[in-house]
Every structure is written in structure tokens, then in C-alpha cells.
Amino acid sequence: MRKLVLTIALFFAVGYFSHVLAQTQSGSFFFNQESKGFTLDKNEGKRVVEYEINFNKPFDKKPKVVLSTTLLDAAKDTKIRYSISASGVSRDGFVLKAEVWGDTQLTGIGGYWLAHIEE
């Protein structure tokens, strides 16, 4: 009887975690001067670059996206002003937007993203 209960519990745990993992996807990003359309190292004022991120598998419904920055390569003589955001989020992906302003000169920016569905 004890083996049966443990087997059933294990079956439900595997099913639950499979469902949770299916509702979460993650990845990393890195853009620099060699990336197409990269302008965060040029001129002054507001500059924006956008890159499309596609999920490996479409979600059942529109997910929430969380972004984190783990790398900034900036010119030493400028202030660091930047923003990253996710726009156009859909079941299939989103657009990652990186923005700088003022005299900020970024030659590279990188980080991670996490997309998930709230239950």
C-alpha cells in the first residue's frame, strides 16, 4: 500500500512540474556594436534599439516577461543611463527594447529574460 501511495504521489508531482515547466521559458540576450541596428554607442540624446525574441514553443496564452541586465559595457567618460523593456508581448515572443539617453555610450548590453504564465 505504501508503494502505491508513493507511486501515485510521484506521478502527480511529475505531472505538476511538467505543467509548470511548460508554462515557463527563459533565455539570454547580448547586443553590441556588431549587432545589426545597434546605435547605443553613437551620438547623444535618446537612442533606442529593438530586437525580436521568439519563444521556442508558443504559450497557451500571453505570458508575463521579466528582464534582467547582467552586463553593461559603457564608455568611461559618460554617465550610465539606460532602460530595458519588453513590448509587443504575444504567445509567440516579444520585442526587447534597450534605450539610452544623454551622453551615455553603451558598446554592449546583455542579460536574461523569463516568460511565464501566472496561474
Side-chain angles (χ1 to χ4, degrees):
M1 181 69 173
R2 186 173 185 196
K3 283 185 180 182
L4 178 62
V5 170
L6 287 174
T7 302
I8 292 171
L10 180 61
F11 176 75
F12 282 114
V14 168
Y16 173 75
F17 287 117
S18 296
H19 175 72
V20 169
L21 291 176
Q23 301 298 310
T24 303
Q25 294 183 49
S26 62
S28 62
F29 64 91
F30 176 74
F31 310 113
N32 64 12
Q33 296 166 312
E34 297 174 10
S35 302
K36 184 177 181 177
F38 191 86
T39 58
L40 304 182
D41 61 332
K42 311 266 190 289
N43 303 319
E44 290 188 2
K46 182 177 177 179
R47 283 145 294 137
V48 178
V49 293
E50 296 180 334
Y51 297 101
E52 188 173 330
I53 306 289
N54 295 306
F55 301 133
N56 290 333
K57 180 181 174 192
F59 283 91
D60 294 337
K61 59 184 182 178
K62 184 173 120 174
K64 302 265 185 190
V65 176
V66 179
L67 302 170
S68 69
T69 305
T70 58
L71 178 143
L72 285 175
D73 187 2
K76 69 178 183 174
D77 296 333
T78 65
K79 293 184 176 158
I80 298 176
R81 302 177 188 101
Y82 77 99
S83 168
I84 59 171
S85 60
S87 63
V89 178
S90 73
R91 295 174 53 241
D92 300 313
F94 64 97
V95 174
L96 189 146
K97 182 170 107 174
E99 179 180 349
V100 297
W101 56 93
D103 66 346
T104 300
Q105 302 287 314
L106 292 186
T107 56
I109 185 169
Y112 293 95
W113 59 266
L114 174 75
H116 66 96
I117 293 179
E118 293 181 340
E119 295 289 326

